[in-house]
Amino acid sequence: MLNLKIPEVKEVIVGELAVRGYWLVANIQTGATWPVHSQKIQYRGETIWIMPVTTDHFPAVAMMVPSGRTQQECERLIMQFISTLSWVLEGGFLVDEMSGGGLPRPMGRNKSGGFSICDEFDLSYFPEPNGDRAMLALALMREGRGLNHPGYSFLSLYRILEVALGRGSQRQVAWINTKIAGGLHHRAKDALEQLRKQGIVDIGAHLYASGRCAMAHASGDPVIDPDDPADARRLWSERPIMLTLAEIAIEEFFWRRAHDDAVFQTPIRT
């Protein structure tokens, strides 16, 4: 790690990345580790590039729009790739902006340090389930992990349960309580203990009413007040429970099911 060097953008746009065409670049905000070398991936029949973090440009994911495909199709493909990448790496990747041009040049930014870097991503394991609902769940997970806003992060994670379980608060609450009774990841232990100390027995109903509904609506009771720091602290404290439940929902309803049905795809590194 000590020998890794963060390159300048001119050192990155070489070889195949210096070929002119119409490039789309997803400029990414992330506090997670990002590589310092470019990686070329074959994903769903197209070439996608992971662009390294550089001294004064965003880390990014890029793709040259091929003949016969529209910009909108390619933008969606890039976003789905990033969501799957986020799931595999357990990181929150938010796209600051989708830019375009003759070369895959990420947007500039005023940041020269504070990076967490690696040589390159290990994508030897990169399965993904097919299907719009599965991809929506991964997109919400990417968003929920990456957002630095307690309410919207919590809401994105809860929406994964709605994608997996469908409508109906009773079904969602019952599923939550069943998973909690079976034991959750250690990250959720402290939050669960705090809720129980407060006398909250039906934790599923609490997460639904005081988290999901309180954040999504402003006409009910309780409601999340952006000016009340106590609301933000509470949601941050309960977020580990929601993150763990969202991970379980994806694995149970999409990941393992996809594995059982043998509908995984794995991109090829070239």
Side-chain angles (χ1 to χ4, degrees):
M1 181 67 70
L2 295 178
N3 295 323
L4 296 180
K5 174 181 176 291
I6 297 175
E8 297 182 23
V9 72
K10 65 181 181 181
E11 299 174 289
V12 173
I13 303 178
V14 296
E16 293 180 69
L17 289 172
V19 175
R20 290 194 170 272
Y22 185 62
W23 288 87
L24 293 173
V25 181
N27 300 276
I28 294 177
Q29 291 189 22
T30 176
T33 300
W34 199 265
V36 294
H37 294 108
S38 302
Q39 289 178 257
K40 179 183 177 183
I41 308 297
Q42 294 300 315
Y43 178 74
R44 296 187 177 182
E46 303 295 350
T47 299
I48 289 182
W49 289 85
I50 295 172
M51 307 287 289
V53 60
T54 61
T55 53
D56 52 4
H57 290 75
F58 276 87
V61 171
M63 173 184 178
M64 182 190 290
V65 177
S67 176
R69 302 205 69 163
T70 67
Q71 176 176 331
Q72 184 175 354
E73 288 174 335
C74 294
E75 287 177 347
R76 181 168 176 78
L77 187 69
I78 290 172
M79 293 301 298
Q80 290 178 334
F81 175 83
I82 296 170
S83 292
T84 307
L85 183 70
S86 173
W87 169 257
V88 170
L89 299 175
E90 299 184 359
F93 303 145
L94 298 178
V95 175
D96 188 272
E97 184 175 325
M98 187 79 72
S99 57
L103 290 173
R105 183 180 297 275
M107 294 191 310
R109 64 173 179 173
N110 295 321
K111 184 175 180 180
S112 59
F115 301 113
S116 178
I117 59 175
C118 62
D119 185 26
E120 61 179 19
F121 288 139
D122 179 4
L123 301 182
S124 56
Y125 176 76
F126 197 92
E128 59 143 330
N130 287 327
D132 291 342
R133 289 174 61 242
M135 290 308 307
L136 174 59
L138 293 190
L140 290 168
M141 176 59 79
R142 174 182 59 78
E143 180 181 71
R145 280 174 168 157
L147 286 170
N148 195 34
H149 185 288
Y152 292 122
S153 176
F154 187 100
L155 187 58
S156 290
L157 295 171
Y158 193 97
R159 289 177 66 199
I160 294 170
L161 272 59
E162 296 177 335
V163 174
L165 294 161
R167 294 183 179 180
S169 60
Q170 291 184 346
R171 183 183 181 192
Q172 295 163 13
V173 167
W175 184 87
I176 290 172
N177 287 332
T178 297
K179 297 305 172 184
I180 290 175
L184 297 184
H185 190 280
H186 64 83
R187 76 160 79 92
K189 180 181 178 181
D190 289 344
L192 289 170
E193 287 182 354
Q194 288 302 314
L195 291 178
R196 288 168 180 147
K197 286 180 180 178
Q198 297 169 35
I200 298 174
V201 177
D202 192 339
I203 295 177
H206 168 78
L207 295 174
Y208 176 77
S210 297
R212 186 264 188 214
C213 293
M215 186 61 207
H217 306 295
S219 59
D221 184 26
V223 63
I224 301 300
D225 182 351
D227 283 344
D228 189 346
D231 284 345
R233 286 194 293 269
R234 180 180 66 79
L235 287 175
W236 269 132
S237 70
E238 296 173 10
R239 180 182 176 275
I241 304 173
M242 204 64 251
L243 174 59
T244 302
L245 290 167
E247 290 174 346
I248 292 172
I250 289 177
E251 291 173 350
E252 182 174 314
F253 289 92
F254 301 119
W255 218 251
R256 291 173 184 168
R257 185 169 300 171
H259 184 272
D260 293 341
D261 293 341
V263 292
F264 278 124
Q265 295 179 347
T266 303
I268 301 171
R269 297 176 58 188
T270 57

